[in-house]
Amino acid sequence: MRLHLLLLLALCGSGSTSGALSYGLGGSWRIRSGNRSLELLGTVPGSVHTALFQQGLIQDPYYGFNDLNYRWISLDNWTYSKEFKIPFDISKWQVINLVFEGVDTVSEILLNNVTIGKTDNMFNKYEQCSFSWDWGPSFPTQGIWKDVRIEAYNICHLNDFTFVPMYVRRTQVWNLEIQTFFDVISPIPVGGQVIIAIPELKIQQTNNITLQPGARIVELSVKIKKNTPVETWWPHGHGNQTGYNMKILFKLDKDLTIERSAKVYFRTVELMEEPIKGSHGLSFYFKINGIPIFLKGSNWIPADSFQDRVTSDLLRLLLQSVVDANMNVLRVWGGGIYEQDEFYELCDELGIMVWQDFMFACALYPNEQGFMDSVAAEVAHQVRRLKSHPSIIIWSGNNENEEALMMNWYGIKLVDLPVYIKDYVALYVSNIRAVVFSGDKSRPFVTSSPSNGAKSVAEGWVSQNPHSRFFGDVHFYDYGSDCWNWKIFPKARFVSEYGYQSWPSFSTLETVSSEKDWFYKSKFSIHRQHHEHGNYEMLYQAGLHFKLPQSSDPLRTFKDTIYITQVMQAQCVKTETEFYLRSRSEIVNGKGHTMGAMYWQLNDIWQAPSWSSLEFGGKWKMLHYFARNFFAPLLPVGFEDQDIFYIYGVSDFHTESKVKLTVRIHSWSSLKPLCSTVTNPLVIKAGEAVSLYKEPVYKLLKRCGNCTRQSCVVSFYLSMDRGHQSPTNYHFLSSLKDAVGLLKPHITASISQQHGTFVFALETSAVAPFVWLDVGSIPGRFSDNGFLMTEKKQTVLFYPWKPTSKNELKRSFRVTSLTDIY
């Protein structure tokens, strides 16, 4: 790709000025194909694909098979060009820089037909998954994907500034460490003062500084007095996300003033890897502000193949959905991109912790010096850009590359393995880790995910078994075993990837397909599935416990199949996640103390089957509604072991909870519970999981009207004196395809409106499992969905994301339950 700029006019004059000017070159550019057969206008920031689409030269790239049809775009060379006039007198400025914040990816930059630069790294300032993954299309984009501008300055220029608060435990005070990066072009030193102000903490500090000519880093420190009431930043669900406004003002020689402002948050983070009583391994958990925190959340991928289409509104919608589902963490996965500043700002604001991978994934990388230098520059830039964000709690060198190397994914000969290990250590330890710690000592670093953490370090940075249950974090996938059997899941220290696939809703698929595509074995359905055997595996897993759709209407069968894949996914991930949640406080055969559950994946990059809980555009799948319940701060978890039914209580609260447990048995054939038991007050310690209830299944069934496993279902919830109640959970005593007495319910809904929220008053004629409320393409979410309806009446709220009317909702509303598809 070529970036061709033509400077038409440079205004001349005499004299000079202080300060700095910036002139944006975004907006309209001309784009030309390699053989000049196409020439069009495009927008910067942007990409070739989006420019072609906006000009009507191609369809929506995501429609049908266009990821194949439009491969010619990525295979061609493209030239971006712009003619411009500098609207200021360049003779008054000593330095004029042309700044590209992001170029995708290999390019040559010319100004007035003179080559002035080249790029080969889209993650540096001047995507792996762009080439497809098992959940996304292949759209290797080209373009100027971030801001481009001209900067002019005299005397000196503040190129960047960053900061991080450090808590000194010995003295119990906060030190705010600030780094400022200057380009000093004055031939003599530049003196002056810097004034740092944080008004809410009554801080104003003045320092005298002298800037020597050249590239200079000025390090400043603000020591916050011990008696200053600093409020710390907490993850969502654990406290407030308090931040303080800071201003930095430089008053320099020749009346030069430079001012910057930022939000400062105070928090500490520690990765605890220490011996555990009853186990030969080490723990792996995070302390935030000295408190152990169970990390519950998901993995983030790019929200669109075309980053210029990722708007502020979309980012806020997706991240708000994270906290609305009671999550507190996202892992920014190493096969995507370093997200834009606004992503991290929103995570700070919302209390979403970020596990930040560097952008290396599932591959062996070269060790040539040029590549290593490029990586070092990339990492230094990203650390400097991001380290001020309290949301980022850990840096990780790569995704799955330690596992790939040591599990020999690529068929390396044993005799050659030491060479590959040496190269691995050189890249991720000697290079990336060293650069990280030279720029940021405030948070931990692990070389890979999964990894054995301290154990991998002790083994020379790569472990013989990188997904040990006794150390570090693991990734776990198993599509062949029964996901209702909790014994298949790893009782590991921390699980940072796991999951099951489902299809997105019909209203999402409908926008990129046509009627000929709407059946499960269509060419479209096969093409959209990028995970080998994925469509089969979904139906296999669903068929273990549910009857599969059998309608004579192909479209009805397709819609019902979509529904049953979402039911399967939600129930599988629920079972697995609840196993990890209840494993946090126990050690069994040396395994346990699980302190993190981050399912794969949160969001989608296009409209296709995947592991996501949010569809492309943000619509909630059934799994996301389930996550809202299983990630609740107080939760009862039910399971069986050797025909004994157990209920654990799981708490994320910082203080102990006194609760009562209510257990009810329902017959599938009746809306009246057969029996109900309420326990005496029970105690769940802060942040722990504890066994609250234990009863042989046969006794439970016998005392409740001689139920059988096939004819009854168990529901249960926790309540506290202060009125807090957990979600109502349930436990199936048999596969639902074997359920006896399960009727086809008639479910009606009356809709009313209250201050922008819509109230759905539901009424059912029979017990209804997996009740799914859908309003088609109307953007918004329900307060609950996919639920087990055991009472005649239930009220559910709908929160629209855009203005809508009651009549629009009525026209679009559909309700489905499990027996509707039989």
Side-chain angles (χ1 to χ4, degrees):
M1 185 174 70
R2 279 193 164 194
L3 308 178
H4 192 168
L5 298 103
L6 180 62
L7 177 59
L8 292 180
L9 178 64
L11 300 176
C12 296
S14 60
S16 63
T17 184
S18 61
L21 285 177
S22 179
Y23 177 59
L25 293 178
S28 182
W29 286 57
R30 296 208 70 81
I31 304 174
R32 188 178 67 240
S33 62
N35 64 3
R36 298 176 180 263
S37 61
L38 275 176
E39 189 164 346
L40 63 147
L41 289 176
T43 301
V44 169
S47 70
V48 175
H49 287 82
T50 50
L52 291 167
F53 177 57
Q54 289 163 358
Q55 294 296 328
L57 297 172
I58 62 172
Q59 291 180 305
D60 179 352
Y62 285 165
Y63 189 87
F65 297 82
N66 283 343
D67 56 320
L68 299 180
N69 298 335
Y70 296 154
R71 284 186 175 176
W72 61 269
I73 299 171
S74 300
L75 294 172
D76 205 347
N77 291 321
W78 297 87
T79 298
Y80 273 69
S81 61
K82 187 179 185 72
E83 298 178 353
F84 65 96
K85 298 178 182 179
I86 296 181
F88 53 84
D89 189 342
I90 63 174
S91 68
K92 293 184 177 182
W93 301 94
Q94 294 170 283
V95 172
I96 300 176
N97 287 332
L98 177 61
V99 180
F100 287 87
E101 292 285 350
V103 178
D104 183 3
T105 288
V106 179
S107 74
E108 180 183 10
I109 302 171
L110 299 93
L111 178 65
N112 293 344
N113 291 317
V114 176
T115 299
I116 60 173
K118 295 182 179 181
T119 69
D120 63 359
N121 187 336
M122 72 177 289
F123 301 128
N124 241 332
K125 186 175 180 178
Y126 305 60
E127 313 171 29
Q128 292 94 317
C129 68
S130 298
F131 292 88
S132 186
W133 216 271
D134 52 7
W135 39 258
S138 176
F139 281 111
T141 52
Q142 299 181 65
I144 305 171
W145 72 301
K146 290 187 178 181
D147 181 46
V148 56
R149 65 187 181 276
I150 289 175
E151 290 180 347
Y153 54 89
N154 292 325
I155 306 174
C156 70
H157 184 253
L158 178 60
N159 291 330
D160 206 354
F161 93 104
T162 188
F163 56 89
V164 64
M166 300 290 290
Y167 186 68
V168 184
R169 295 197 181 280
R170 180 176 53 82
T171 56
Q172 296 184 325
V173 297
W174 288 96
N175 280 348
L176 180 60
E177 298 179 357
I178 303 169
Q179 283 185 314
T180 55
F181 300 81
F182 282 92
D183 180 19
V184 183
I185 56 175
S186 168
I188 60 174
V190 178
Q193 292 182 326
V194 56
I195 302 166
I196 304 167
I198 308 177
E200 294 153 291
L201 296 178
K202 296 182 172 57
I203 291 172
Q204 181 158 317
Q205 175 177 307
T206 302
N207 294 70
N208 294 322
I209 61 170
T210 300
L211 301 174
Q212 300 295 331
R216 290 289 176 257
I217 300 175
V218 177
E219 296 187 342
L220 306 164
S221 181
V222 179
K223 186 175 181 179
I224 299 173
K225 295 179 181 178
K226 188 174 181 178
N227 59 356
T228 302
V230 175
E231 291 188 25
T232 50
W233 179 95
W234 288 94
H236 175 69
H238 291 273
N240 297 326
Q241 292 75 51
T242 304
Y244 298 92
N245 295 316
M246 175 178 68
K247 285 190 177 180
I248 302 179
L249 176 64
F250 293 90
K251 292 184 175 181
L252 304 174
D253 293 344
K254 298 186 179 181
D255 297 322
L256 176 60
T257 61
I258 302 172
E259 185 175 330
R260 295 289 187 271
S261 60
K263 200 89 167 177
V264 180
Y265 299 87
F266 296 86
R267 68 102 184 89
T268 64
V269 57
E270 302 166 89
L271 174 57
M272 309 304 295
E273 297 181 89
E274 53 195 7
I276 301 174
K277 185 179 179 180
S279 174
H280 72 272
L282 299 175
S283 65
F284 191 93
Y285 69 94
F286 291 86
K287 280 186 177 180
I288 306 296
N289 303 324
I291 302 296
I293 302 291
F294 189 102
L295 271 59
K296 49 186 186 180
S298 189
N299 285 258
W300 173 274
I301 65 168
D304 201 313
S305 294
F306 312 103
Q307 282 296 299
D308 51 300
R309 304 200 306 194
V310 180
T311 63
S312 298
D313 288 345
L314 177 60
L315 280 179
R316 181 168 285 277
L317 187 154
L318 294 173
L319 293 176
Q320 185 63 50
S321 292
V322 170
V323 296
D324 286 348
N326 291 309
M327 300 182 190
N328 61 26
V329 68
L330 289 176
R331 173 171 170 250
V332 177
W333 168 73
I337 62 170
Y338 303 101
E339 281 296 333
Q340 56 187 275
D341 291 341
E342 190 170 3
F343 172 89
Y344 300 98
E345 290 163 3
L346 285 168
C347 288
D348 295 343
E349 174 191 326
L350 296 170
I352 302 170
M353 295 178 284
V354 174
W355 174 307
Q356 179 66 55
D357 281 2
F358 288 99
M359 295 300 118
F360 303 86
C362 300
L364 301 174
Y365 289 82
N367 68 346
E368 287 84 359
Q369 192 59 48
F371 178 76
M372 298 292 268
D373 292 344
S374 177
V375 168
E378 168 190 328
V379 172
H381 169 63
Q382 296 299 340
V383 169
R384 183 188 303 177
R385 180 174 77 96
L386 299 176
K387 75 175 187 179
S388 302
H389 292 284
S391 52
I392 299 178
I393 61 167
I394 188 171
W395 304 109
S396 175
N398 65 71
N399 171 74
E400 296 183 345
N401 288 348
E402 180 183 348
E403 180 179 12
L405 183 61
M406 300 311 291
M407 298 294 103
N408 203 13
W409 291 4
Y410 306 116
I412 297 170
K413 294 179 181 177
L414 188 60
V415 68
D416 296 328
L417 185 59
V419 174
Y420 284 89
I421 291 175
K422 181 181 177 182
D423 288 349
Y424 177 93
V425 173
L427 176 59
Y428 298 110
V429 181
S430 304
N431 191 351
I432 293 177
R433 181 178 181 271
V435 173
V436 168
F437 283 138
S438 70
D440 179 25
K441 297 181 177 65
S442 70
R443 49 178 63 83
F445 173 91
V446 291
T447 52
S448 186
S449 176
S451 173
N452 285 350
K455 175 68 170 174
S456 288
V457 174
E459 291 185 56
W461 300 101
V462 291
S463 180
Q464 292 298 316
N465 178 19
H467 41 73
S468 168
R469 291 0 181 198
F470 301 99
F471 305 91
D473 69 312
V474 303
H475 297 181
F476 179 81
Y477 298 95
D478 182 351
Y479 311 116
S481 302
D482 182 357
C483 76
W484 286 28
N485 176 14
W486 57 266
K487 294 183 179 181
I488 71 170
F489 305 126
K491 206 171 185 70
R493 305 297 191 226
F494 194 106
V495 190
S496 49
E497 276 194 32
Y498 62 96
Y500 294 85
Q501 279 199 325
S502 71
W503 275 80
S505 62
F506 181 75
S507 61
T508 295
L509 290 170
E510 192 176 18
T511 63
V512 292
S513 60
S514 59
E515 190 172 350
K516 69 179 185 303
D517 303 319
W518 297 339
F519 63 100
Y520 200 69
K521 294 185 178 180
S522 69
K523 292 181 179 179
F524 172 83
S525 297
I526 294 169
H527 174 65
R528 287 272 157 161
Q529 175 57 269
H530 285 195
H531 170 59
E532 188 176 15
H533 308 307
N535 287 347
Y536 164 78
E537 288 169 352
M538 280 185 276
L539 293 188
Y540 169 76
Q541 194 66 238
L544 294 177
H545 298 286
F546 305 105
K547 296 177 182 178
L548 299 181
Q550 298 293 333
S551 173
S552 58
D553 178 0
L555 179 58
R556 180 74 261 161
T557 298
F558 186 53
K559 291 180 177 180
D560 289 346
T561 302
I562 291 170
Y563 165 82
I564 201 64
T565 67
Q566 291 208 15
V567 169
M568 175 276 297
Q569 180 197 37
Q571 187 65 22
C572 286
V573 177
K574 171 184 184 292
T575 304
E576 186 167 0
T577 305
E578 289 182 347
F579 171 72
Y580 300 140
L581 289 166
R582 66 178 170 85
S583 296
R584 67 174 69 182
S585 302
E586 64 184 14
I587 291 291
V588 178
N589 298 323
K591 301 172 186 176
H593 275 213
T594 308
M595 284 297 288
M598 299 157 62
Y599 65 77
W600 183 269
Q601 65 205 69
L602 177 77
N603 55 311
D604 265 336
I605 200 169
W606 73 329
Q607 307 91 334
S610 78
W611 293 258
S612 76
S613 61
L614 297 177
E615 299 177 7
F616 180 73
K619 185 173 182 177
W620 288 29
K621 287 183 178 178
M622 192 179 294
L623 170 56
H624 210 76
Y625 288 101
F626 275 42
R628 179 173 166 81
N629 287 330
F630 61 61
F631 281 146
L634 182 68
L635 181 72
V637 174
F639 66 98
E640 287 184 48
D641 189 13
Q642 297 182 344
D643 290 325
I644 298 175
F645 178 54
Y646 296 85
I647 298 177
Y648 275 39
V650 180
S651 170
D652 285 325
F653 296 136
H654 291 190
T655 58
E656 72 174 28
S657 303
K658 293 183 178 179
V659 301
K660 290 183 179 179
L661 171 66
T662 300
V663 182
R664 291 175 176 167
I665 307 297
H666 308 262
S667 164
W668 286 122
S669 60
S670 174
L671 286 167
K672 294 181 179 180
L674 296 177
C675 65
S676 181
T677 300
V678 180
T679 67
N680 292 324
L682 304 165
V683 173
I684 307 175
K685 291 183 179 179
E688 292 195 2
V690 61
S691 178
L692 301 177
Y693 180 92
K694 174 183 177 181
E695 186 173 10
V697 173
Y698 81 92
K699 285 188 177 180
L700 177 66
L701 296 176
K702 187 175 182 179
R703 67 178 175 81
C704 291
N706 288 317
C707 269
T708 66
R709 281 184 172 273
Q710 292 74 28
S711 65
C712 291
V713 61
V714 186
S715 70
F716 41 94
Y717 62 89
L718 298 171
S719 53
M720 302 174 66
D721 290 339
R722 58 178 181 266
H724 188 95
Q725 181 174 311
S726 74
T728 298
N729 209 339
Y730 56 83
H731 176 70
F732 297 131
L733 297 165
S734 73
S735 297
L736 269 72
K737 67 181 181 181
D738 300 323
V740 173
L742 191 58
L743 306 174
K744 183 169 290 190
H746 177 62
I747 302 175
T748 59
S750 62
I751 305 173
S752 59
Q753 187 172 2
Q754 294 180 357
H755 309 295
T757 299
F758 293 89
V759 180
F760 284 67
L762 305 175
E763 190 166 328
T764 181
S765 63
V767 173
F770 302 105
V771 175
W772 182 246
L773 312 178
D774 188 62
V775 289
S777 59
I778 296 176
R781 72 165 181 87
F782 290 94
S783 57
D784 197 9
N785 214 344
F787 46 83
L788 173 65
M789 195 167 180
T790 58
E791 297 181 359
K792 186 176 181 64
K793 296 182 179 181
Q794 185 165 334
T795 299
V796 177
L797 305 179
F798 180 75
Y799 305 101
W801 293 332
K802 292 182 180 178
T804 190
S805 68
K806 185 169 73 172
N807 286 336
E808 286 178 300
L809 284 174
K810 283 184 175 179
R811 285 194 297 270
S812 301
F813 178 68
R814 299 289 184 275
V815 59
T816 304
S817 69
L818 188 65
T819 53
D820 290 329
I821 72 169
Y822 294 167

